[in-house]
Amino acid sequence: MKIAGRLQEISVLQSLLQKDGSEFLAVYGRRRIGKTYLVRQVYSANLIFECSGLHQKEFSQQLENFWLTLTEVDKKPKPMPKTWLQAFAQLKTYLNELGPKKKVVFLDEISWFETPRSGFLAALDNFWNQYCSKRSDIILVICGSAASWIINKVINDRGGLHNRITKHIQLMPFTLAETRDFLTMQRVKLTPKDIAQLYMCVGGIPFYLKDVQPGQSIPQILDALFFESQALLRNEFSNLYAALFKNSRAHELIVKALATKNKGLTRNEIVEATSLKSGGGLSVLLNELIQCGFVKQIFPIKKSKDDALFRLVDEYTLYYFKFLQNNKTNTSWLYLSNKQAYKVWSGFAFENLCFKHVAQIKKALGISGIISNEYSWTLKGEAQIDLLVDRDDNCINLLELKYYDGLYEMTKGYAAQLQEKVRVFKQNTRTKKNVFVTLLTVFGAKRNEHYLSSITNELTIDDLFQ
């Protein structure tokens, strides 16, 4: 089994093989995240039937695809089914002829099977409820990139599939540590800073990382991914959202609007920027983007829910809107990286990197076991805090994030600004908690008098790899 990271997910999948009864498992996550690969690798010895839905194909083609796939593993002649109930009946006949060991039935891209008035979900429910659940040897796995579809139509369904799922796994992008392990498996050796820089451009998406070649520098890697004539990610955006959402135009309008404001937009600001109607429909769109990992909702401390910011955190989408969309002059990463716009973007991308690795930050600070919430905080015209960890042990870590190429040196002027920021924060939030200023840099900081007068804790980019 050749898998980087995913230790928790592997443990869950393997544990189902030891259960006495049958299991109904849903695996979901965004496009290119490695869902199919994970299921195939862990269940390779038990996978007896696998079929994937066809993108944007009608009922007859979906049914024929299922039947043809079944005939590949079950050689006995069988007529082409006319309904999904008949198709699953043929699958039952095949399963009845197999031995007693655990058998995995894997239906991939599950949302594509469900065409209008096809009866697929009703037949799937019947297959599970009237057949699999009465046995002890079946693991029924459904998988798909349309995370919101699986959540709404299966996991939270109030109809026939209500409470049928016995286990579900949301597969998220690799962490920095998992990205390092994935690259190491490919014999790619990069420094922590280089791995972070690559991550800031493409995120922890296995498909985006799989073609990185040993011996390449970051400029060579990013040119191959973005700027060469056959670059893997040159046209990825046109497929990314369309493959996840049936009506993806509204989702694209939202992420395009969010890409214009680094810190994020409130719900009202999204409505103003996109002309989409506020209401339940917008809530669904935002929840779908959050569930798929493209957007993060950040609640400002000591403010109302209406002040919550929706922030675009998908690395590839941010990179696309900043440097690839309507690109006419950026022909290489080296050319691009010398521009001021790239340096500004790098600081913001580093903030996103830290937001996604709060668990690692807490571990490095020795507070993993303490319940906490993460916020941002802004007082217009006076102060702004990129990330703070509000802890249940009467403490707050106020993080200063500095993406700096070399040792960071605190100046007298910035130390004074930092102390004023803490004062304004305490005064306006009226917090009684201890406030610790935590500096997180790439290579560390010089411990001069200004550092010593301002900083309580110091972390480096290495700590994000824990």
Side-chain angles (χ1 to χ4, degrees), residues 181-389:
D181 294 344
F182 183 81
L183 293 172
T184 299
M185 282 175 52
Q186 299 173 201
R187 298 184 296 110
V188 175
K189 296 181 180 179
L190 296 171
T191 65
K193 180 181 183 293
D194 281 350
I195 294 173
Q197 195 161 42
L198 176 60
Y199 195 105
M200 285 157 54
C201 297
V202 302
I205 310 301
F207 183 82
Y208 298 170
L209 300 166
K210 69 179 181 62
D211 289 332
V212 175
Q213 299 299 312
Q216 288 185 330
S217 65
I218 286 296
Q220 289 175 308
I221 292 169
L222 294 177
D223 281 350
L225 288 173
F226 292 114
F227 299 110
E228 291 178 0
S229 59
Q230 300 299 317
L232 177 69
L233 301 182
R234 178 182 287 271
N235 299 312
E236 169 71 0
F237 186 83
S238 62
N239 299 316
L240 180 56
Y241 292 87
L244 286 171
F245 310 110
K246 287 187 176 180
N247 300 303
S248 60
R249 181 180 172 275
H251 300 85
E252 292 179 12
L253 282 175
I254 292 172
V255 296
K256 184 177 182 179
L258 294 178
T260 65
K261 189 71 176 291
N262 289 346
K263 301 300 179 184
L265 299 173
T266 65
R267 184 189 180 94
N268 289 336
E269 289 171 337
I270 291 171
V271 171
E272 184 178 349
T274 61
S275 297
L276 293 170
K277 293 181 179 179
S278 184
L282 180 59
S283 296
V284 170
L285 293 171
L286 291 170
N287 285 335
E288 288 177 342
L289 288 168
I290 291 169
Q291 288 164 357
C292 290
F294 293 106
V295 172
K296 183 178 179 65
Q297 188 175 15
I298 301 171
F299 295 94
I301 190 170
K302 302 291 184 180
K303 291 188 179 181
S304 71
K305 188 177 180 181
D306 291 339
D307 293 314
L309 293 173
F310 294 89
R311 177 167 172 160
L312 182 59
V313 293
D314 179 63
E315 291 82 4
Y316 170 77
T317 304
L318 284 163
Y319 195 89
Y320 169 82
F321 279 119
K322 192 69 176 178
F323 301 115
L324 298 180
Q325 186 188 38
N326 303 322
N327 173 41
K328 295 179 180 178
T329 59
N330 298 326
T331 57
S332 74
W333 184 83
L334 278 177
Y335 173 80
L336 174 67
S337 63
N338 287 319
K339 289 190 167 187
Q340 182 62 27
Y342 188 88
K343 292 171 182 165
V344 173
W345 167 85
S346 294
F348 171 64
F350 186 58
E351 286 180 27
N352 269 345
L353 187 73
C354 295
F355 261 105
K356 287 191 172 182
H357 290 79
V358 169
Q360 288 77 14
I361 289 172
K362 289 181 64 176
K363 183 176 180 180
L365 291 172
I367 57 172
S368 293
I370 298 172
I371 297 172
S372 67
N373 290 300
E374 294 76 50
Y375 302 98
S376 62
W377 182 81
T378 301
L379 185 64
K380 195 169 183 178
E382 290 197 47
Q384 177 177 295
I385 298 172
D386 303 325
L387 173 62
L388 57 90
V389 180

